[in-house]
Amino acid sequence: MVFKRRHWALAAAPLALALFATAGCDGDSDGTSGSRAKSSAAKPSATVARVCARPAAGPAKAPAGAVAVDPAVVGDLAAKTRSNPPHTTFWLRPGRHRLERDRYAQVMAKEGNRYLGAPGAVLDGRKVNQYAFSGKARDVTIRHLTVEHFVAPNNEGVVNHDMADGWVIEHAKIQYNSGAGLMAGARQRVRASCLRGNGQYGMNAYKTGDSITGLVVEGNEVVGNNTDDWERRKPGCGCTGGIKFWAVDGADIRGNWVHDNRGAGLWADNNNNDFRIENNVLEANDGAALMYETSYNAVIRNNTIRRNNWVEGRKYAQRDDDFPYATIYVSEAGGEPRIKARTNKIEIYRNVLENNWSGITLWENADRFCNSPANTSTGYCTLLVKNISRCARPGIATAPLYADCRWKTQRVDIHDNRFVLDTAVVKCTEECGRMAVLANYGTYPKWSPYKGKRVADAITHKQRNRWHDNVYRGPWSFVAGDMSRKLETGQWQSAPYQQDTGSTFDAQAGG
């Protein structure tokens, strides 16, 4: 997997889930909003999935035909997995189960295996074993099991270490491990589970070969991850947060409570496509609630987003860094009709953003494009150009490569949201109440066709990025084109920007 520096201003059982009440999700199949909801009514439910404190109990008795696993026998789970055929159900008795005391001791699952934990069943890595469940076998199920104290290396994971396809993780607690608690494969379902206190990520949705499709993350609590503070240990690594998504094609992220993670809550980075992020509570994450970066086509709706980005936003402000660090950060990402998805834009609507450090920033780095040394996703090109070497002079200077070699922040539609800011709560002044659409002045490399203000003009005026029909409460301001252009409400709504048509503003409300 290619990790990279984050560039801001530089180069299948029924589930008993504690989910949101449906907040009028009447979107059409292509992700558009259908009949327009009134801005003042944009208030999703704030019910959260409290699965860490109140996990559903597993079966107290072994299901018919299941193989019982004895916690008193060290290595019993791995041994019985080896000695039984695929499609076997294993029932882990109450107690603390252990693997052999070897760093590489692990359970090598077989196709169709099911691992069910009785009440109180824990698989404990004892800070010795690196991995819990591994192997390439498809369609493995893990339910009602706590997996903790494993020590996976950085960028690797404890459960589904080898990124096999079709795994189902339900009513599990994957917590207090190093690395990522969970890796992902295609068609993976993660439901009603607690991903808590892991050293790097709750889940790292990355698969060798970039072949994750059809991912569902539903009704989980994702809390307190990145305990090892990897951005401090490897500055600029871009490798931290609650959940990281890399080159995932098709994902439904719904009804989760993502909170108190060090770094971003949810981060989709590099050639992701066709995401629906809806009915979540994203709360009190140190960094952005949501980052959607060098990716395509998403619906972000009916989420409650509150008290995010206080740590990172304040840190940069104290350094006199004037970049509008945002709670929803869209970076070189946009709608692209030529890439198959359930929508052909990025639509952000009917969300409530309350007392975060700033709002939504649409950003494009003019120096970051396919085949540029400033593209930190090394070795990757856009989804429109398969051959990286094509993005070079002379071809890149003219159509179609001039457009297709660049990840563009385009076709972003921001409407019917409620933005609330009380600076007394956030404890800040004007730095924490900004919306922005901007780019830097292109300078690099020498052969770049995007030098100067070309990209800044495009993202601001030509790429169909639009705010409208929103409600603002509190002292909001706006940045357009570049960081030097700071606008009041009237300027933002007037020519040449003409943003937030139909929106309402109350600078004094703040609540």
Side-chain angles (χ1 to χ4, degrees), residues 6 48 66 79 137 165 186 205 214 279 301 311 318 348 392 400 405 417-418 483 494 510:
R6 182 177 9 168
V48 292
D165 294 340
N279 298 332
R301 63 186 176 189
V311 173
Q318 290 171 345
I348 304 173
C405 289
N417 302 285
R418 184 178 180 87
M483 285 188 289
S494 301

Side-chain angles (χ1 to χ4, degrees), residues 300-376:
I300 302 165
R301 63 186 176 189
N302 297 333
N303 300 287
T304 298
I305 302 171
R306 57 198 181 204
R307 301 193 305 278
N308 295 280
N309 205 29
W310 286 17
V311 173
E312 292 191 6
R314 182 170 286 107
K315 176 180 69 175
Y316 288 109
Q318 290 171 345
R319 296 176 181 176
D320 295 324
D321 185 338
D322 203 29
F323 188 84
Y325 295 95
T327 288
I328 296 179
Y329 180 59
V330 180
S331 175
E332 297 94 20
E336 176 49 73
R338 290 173 290 172
I339 297 173
K340 184 178 179 180
R342 291 166 289 182
T343 182
N344 57 21
K345 56 186 174 180
I346 294 179
E347 191 172 15
I348 304 173
Y349 70 102
R350 290 208 303 261
N351 303 284
V352 172
L353 285 83
E354 181 177 0
N355 290 329
N356 301 284
W357 190 281
S358 286
I360 298 173
T361 288
L362 308 186
W363 161 254
E364 203 168 310
N365 184 343
D367 299 329
R368 183 183 185 184
F369 54 91
C370 178
N371 208 25
S372 167
N375 175 29
T376 49

Side-chain angles (χ1 to χ4, degrees), residues 149-307:
H149 302 148
F150 286 79
V151 285
N154 178 241
N155 298 335
E156 297 185 37
V158 169
V159 174
N160 197 10
H161 169 262
D162 294 305
M163 303 159 280
D165 294 340
W167 283 41
V168 175
I169 294 90
E170 291 178 344
H171 304 295
K173 293 173 76 173
I174 304 174
Q175 59 186 15
Y176 312 137
N177 304 288
S178 299
L182 175 64
M183 299 297 288
R187 299 176 288 101
Q188 182 157 297
R189 305 289 187 265
V190 185
R191 295 186 176 118
S193 292
C194 171
L195 308 180
R196 172 168 61 182
N198 296 289
Q200 189 177 7
Y201 305 112
M203 182 171 72
N204 184 5
Y206 163 78
K207 180 177 172 67
T208 304
D210 300 337
S211 58
I212 296 177
T213 59
L215 177 65
V216 174
V217 182
E218 179 179 20
N220 304 284
E221 184 174 353
V222 183
V223 53
N225 295 288
N226 187 27
T227 58
D228 291 334
D229 196 5
W230 278 98
E231 288 287 348
R232 179 186 57 80
R233 296 171 67 173
K234 296 179 67 175
C237 71
C239 61
T240 59
I243 301 179
K244 185 77 176 282
F245 305 90
W246 183 275
V248 174
D249 189 3
D252 291 291
I253 316 299
R254 57 183 178 244
N256 303 284
W257 185 21
V258 182
H259 65 104
D260 294 285
N261 295 284
R262 178 175 283 168
L266 302 174
W267 188 349
D269 184 7
N270 192 67
N271 284 348
N272 297 280
N273 176 50
D274 194 14
F275 272 51
R276 284 193 175 180
I277 301 170
E278 56 190 358
N279 298 332
N280 302 284
V281 172
L282 310 177
E283 181 172 25
N285 298 288
D286 284 3
L290 170 62
M291 297 174 64
Y292 206 72
E293 181 176 359
T294 55
S295 295
Y296 302 89
N297 300 327
V299 173
I300 302 165
R301 63 186 176 189
N302 297 333
N303 300 287
T304 298
I305 302 171
R306 57 198 181 204
R307 301 193 305 278

Side-chain angles (χ1 to χ4, degrees), residues 65-109:
V67 174
V69 181
D70 187 351
V73 180
V74 173
D76 197 39
L77 178 61
K80 286 178 174 172
T81 296
R82 286 193 298 270
S83 63
N84 281 280
H87 302 282
T88 297
T89 296
F90 300 89
W91 177 70
L92 284 73
R93 297 181 184 275
R96 196 162 287 272
H97 297 254
R98 295 159 294 166
L99 303 173
E100 297 289 345
R101 190 172 280 279
D102 181 288
R103 64 187 297 187
Y104 297 115
Q106 57 198 282
V107 179
M108 297 297 293

Side-chain angles (χ1 to χ4, degrees), residues 364-442:
E364 203 168 310
N365 184 343
D367 299 329
R368 183 183 185 184
F369 54 91
C370 178
N371 208 25
S372 167
N375 175 29
T376 49
S377 297
T378 307
Y380 281 87
C381 201
T382 69
L383 292 181
L384 298 171
V385 180
K386 302 301 183 184
N387 185 346
I388 293 175
S389 64
R390 293 180 63 207
C391 294
R393 292 278 189 176
I396 196 173
T398 58
L401 292 179
Y402 180 83
D404 291 352
C405 289
R406 199 171 96 233
W407 289 274
K408 291 185 288 185
T409 302
Q410 65 177 6
R411 300 172 61 87
V412 182
D413 190 6
I414 302 167
H415 65 89
D416 294 289
N417 302 285
R418 184 178 180 87
F419 300 109
V420 177
L421 176 65
D422 186 339
T423 56
V425 173
V426 184
K427 296 182 172 57
C428 71
T429 54
E430 69 276 1
E431 295 94 343
C432 65
R434 292 183 289 177
M435 298 282 172
V437 52
L438 76 164
N440 58 325
Y441 190 90

